[in-house]
Amino acid sequence: TLLSSLGLGTTLTFASSHWLLAWMGLEINTLAIIPLMAQHHHPRAVEATTKYFLTQATAAAMILFASTTNAWITGAWDMNNVSNPIASTMIITALALKIGLAPMHFWMPEVLQGLDLLTGLVLSTWQKLAPLALIIQTAQAIDPLLLTTLGLMSTLIGGWGGLNQTQLRKILAYSSIAHMGWMIIVLQYAPQLTLLALLTYIFMTSAAFLTLKTSSATKIGTLATVWSKSPILTTTTALVLLSLAGLPPLTGFMPKWLILQELAKQSLPLIATIMALAALLSLYFYLRLCYAMTLTISPNTTTSTTPWRVQTTQASFPLALATVMALGLLPVT
């Protein structure tokens, strides 16, 4: 029931051109994922669920208020007609809060840290779809400076925040914030590149989360002990992380390359330079993970206890599919 409601909420938002219907889809979506987040009854999971619920409820209320204001002024409820600047600014703020764009990103690492890895995967991929669809539909009515600021701040904060982390879920949360920034920065010039970046991001993040689920790793220290059990997986994980960082010849390079090219085409060299340098910040912490996985030998001075080596019950096909997509899609360009 919960998973189908989760799908239904997002689909409802996709299919709607009326603000009330879109709001209802977002609301169903939020209410469906909350029991999934709290299902382990761990205090941290419950705390993360509460934080998530509060942010999402705030954002939904703001969307409702902004669309009502817009309907009150213009007399129309449809999405492609947000002519009032106050309403459009409030809507983009609320949607940025929903997907965790900086400076509304503070809940994201905290919430992801408290969750199970598979729920975390749902949170960082599926939950982004509905708000991003709304952002893409209303992008033309929004102040370009605001969108650029959101995009730049997200990539910079997503790069800086992850530098000091040892928890893998927080690192993935910051990487998610940075990728969202890349999507938003190009939105007003080439929305199809936003969708391309979203698609590649979903493949790479799925590969990363499913790998961590297979080795049940949540800290960097645990990663150092994976190589003895599954060497091939270690190799592919290092490549997936480099793909997330956006290195050629992996899939992650494609959206970054095309986005930088588009920014240069729109004669925004300064913004393109800042984005490329912000990608270097992210590259640093992905390289730290690669280093811990592939260049350190296990009996080192880690404080983490070595986990029991039990056979995983997880199906390997989704992981294989996501990994192949995350590593080999660059020729599609």
Side-chain angles (χ1 to χ4, degrees):
T1 310
L2 293 172
L3 284 172
S4 57
S5 301
L6 196 66
L8 174 76
T10 305
T11 319
L12 201 61
T13 308
F14 281 165
S16 63
S17 58
H18 189 288
W19 274 114
L20 268 183
L21 200 60
W23 167 80
M24 206 180 301
L26 292 171
E27 207 56 7
I28 292 173
N29 199 345
T30 306
L31 290 177
I33 200 175
I34 279 174
L36 292 173
M37 291 166 80
Q39 66 185 344
H40 294 294
H41 301 298
H42 191 282
R44 283 212 184 137
V46 174
E47 182 191 347
T49 313
T50 314
K51 285 177 181 169
Y52 184 74
F53 172 72
L54 289 173
T55 52
Q56 299 297 310
T58 311
M62 274 178 73
I63 290 173
L64 195 58
F65 180 58
S67 51
T68 315
T69 310
N70 184 57
W72 185 38
I73 292 171
T74 62
W77 278 99
D78 51 332
M79 276 180 202
N80 44 21
N81 189 17
V82 190
S83 50
N84 183 29
I86 300 176
S88 66
T89 307
M90 275 179 60
I91 283 170
I92 187 68
T93 312
L95 290 168
L97 176 62
K98 266 203 175 295
I99 61 172
L101 282 169
M104 282 76 82
H105 66 283
F106 291 97
W107 60 272
M108 180 92 192
E110 301 287 329
V111 168
L112 208 55
Q113 179 54 34
L115 298 183
D116 178 36
L117 284 167
L118 287 180
T119 322
L121 171 63
V122 173
L123 182 69
S124 38
T125 54
W126 184 255
Q127 291 298 94
K128 304 277 190 246
L129 295 178
L132 260 170
L134 295 185
I135 290 179
I136 290 173
Q137 283 181 66
T138 53
Q140 301 312 316
I142 298 162
D143 181 19
L145 184 64
L146 181 63
L147 277 177
T148 310
T149 313
L150 282 173
L152 278 177
M153 275 193 73
S154 298
T155 39
L156 284 167
I157 285 177
W160 260 311
L163 292 183
N164 210 14
Q165 302 294 337
T166 56
Q167 300 286 345
L168 297 177
R169 284 167 293 188
K170 281 195 177 175
I171 287 181
L172 282 168
Y174 280 111
S175 112
S176 167
I177 294 168
H179 279 279
M180 289 294 141
W182 278 92
M183 287 173 218
I184 296 298
I185 198 87
V186 79
L187 180 58
Q188 46 198 331
Y189 310 113
Q192 63 273 24
L193 285 186
T194 302
L195 286 174
L196 177 79
L198 176 67
L199 200 64
T200 50
Y201 161 75
I202 286 179
F203 283 138
M204 297 183 295
T205 311
S206 307
F209 268 107
L210 290 170
T211 308
L212 297 182
K213 183 84 180 86
T214 308
S215 55
S216 62
T218 54
K219 289 198 282 294
I220 293 189
T222 324
L223 281 182
T225 62
V226 173
W227 64 272
S228 58
K229 168 133 189 276
S230 41
I232 310 276
L233 191 65
T234 309
T235 316
T236 54
T237 310
L239 287 172
V240 164
L241 287 167
L242 292 177
S243 180
L244 267 167
L247 292 188
L250 305 165
T251 310
F253 179 57
M254 172 167 56
K256 287 192 166 52
W257 175 23
L258 294 172
I259 286 171
L260 289 177
Q261 185 183 337
E262 180 64 34
L263 288 174
K265 209 185 291 178
Q266 299 285 348
S267 63
L268 299 166
L270 183 64
I271 292 177
T273 312
I274 296 174
M275 295 293 284
L277 291 175
L280 282 179
L281 288 170
S282 307
L283 175 64
Y284 175 75
F285 60 80
Y286 294 124
L287 278 177
R288 257 178 72 210
L289 292 186
C290 287
Y291 175 75
M293 280 198 84
T294 56
L295 295 173
T296 52
I297 291 185
S298 175
N300 52 6
T301 54
T302 51
T303 50
S304 71
T305 53
T306 309
W308 281 96
R309 299 294 181 205
V310 289
Q311 268 323 105
T312 174
T313 55
Q314 181 191 335
S316 56
F317 177 68
L319 172 59
L321 186 68
T323 305
V324 169
M325 293 295 197
L327 298 186
L329 277 189
L330 188 66
V332 176
T333 322

